[in-house]
């Protein structure tokens, strides 16, 4: 899969910082790992003290991270789910899928970002519900539709 140019990635890192769109640095983490050493040196800061490593296979990482994000949604993990949505959005940008970025931006966030994560999976035509037991599959499908995981009410705290 194609990724953005090194210069585009560096520009994006500086834009995230300038506009304070990534205060904790989750999006930046995805981008910095996509840089070669020469370009990484342009953006490395005390936030990344000598711990930089380059990731080469961004598609596999995106697929694996999608599974991770789904797990966080099913487990009702608010902060982790939010971080996952940010990272998946940045991975879509990195993989030059502006259509997916737009679809994620248009999707609502309720239910731990399930609609946004589904937009990511659908955009790449990757499985969203596969590999889950039937209860988790039903719950995730409901959450992706913006509903509580259980039609009888959620005991674990579904939030919008």
């Amino acid at each position: 899969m194609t990724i953005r140019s090194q210069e585009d990635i560096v520009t994006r890192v500086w834009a995230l910082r300038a506009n304070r769109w990534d205060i904790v640095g989750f999006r930046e983490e995805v981008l910095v790992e996509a840089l070669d050493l020469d370009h990484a040196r342009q953006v490395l800061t005390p936030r990344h003290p000598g711990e930089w490593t380059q990731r080469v296979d961004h598609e596999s990482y995106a697929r694996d991270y999608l599974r991770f994000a789904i797990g966080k949604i099913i487990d009702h993990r608010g902060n982790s789910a939010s971080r996952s949505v940010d990272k998946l959005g940045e991975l879509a940008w990195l993989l030059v899928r502006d259509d997916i970025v737009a679809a994620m931006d248009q999707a609502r966030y309720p239910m731990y970002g399930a609609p946004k994560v589904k937009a990511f999976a659908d955009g790449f035509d990757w499985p969203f519900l596969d590999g889950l037991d039937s209860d988790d599959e039903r719950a995730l499908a409901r959450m992706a539709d913006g509903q509580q995981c259980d039609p009888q009410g959620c005991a674990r705290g579904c939030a919008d």
Side-chain angles (χ1 to χ4, degrees), residues 77-124:
R77 301 293 306 241
N79 290 337
S80 295
S82 175
R83 176 183 68 224
S84 296
V85 168
D86 285 349
K87 283 187 155 190
L88 290 174
E90 230 32 62
L91 282 163
W93 180 87
L94 182 66
L95 294 168
V96 196
R97 291 302 304 268
D98 294 334
D99 58 322
I100 296 172
V101 172
M104 290 180 74
D105 286 348
Q106 290 176 353
R108 295 183 51 235
Y109 185 83
M111 302 308 141
Y112 306 94
K116 290 182 177 287
V117 173
K118 184 173 186 323
F120 178 88
D122 289 351
F124 281 108

Side-chain angles (χ1 to χ4, degrees), residues 70-82:
I70 288 169
K72 295 305 174 185
I73 293 166
I74 290 170
D75 290 341
H76 294 66
R77 301 293 306 241
N79 290 337
S80 295
S82 175

Side-chain angles (χ1 to χ4, degrees), residues 7 12 15-16 21 46 50 58 60 76 101-102 107 110 119 125 133-134 144-145:
E7 293 77 16
R12 176 102 170 163
L16 288 171
W21 292 331
H58 304 287
S60 291
H76 294 66
V101 172
D125 199 27
D133 67 37
S134 60
D145 195 35

Side-chain angles (χ1 to χ4, degrees), residues 40-65:
R41 285 184 177 137
Q42 295 177 35
V43 296
L44 288 178
T45 66
R47 184 185 256 179
H48 307 284
E51 297 176 11
W52 171 83
T53 55
Q54 185 179 23
R55 184 176 312 279
V56 178
D57 187 353
H58 304 287
E59 180 181 352
S60 291
Y61 179 57
R63 286 177 182 270
D64 291 344
Y65 207 83

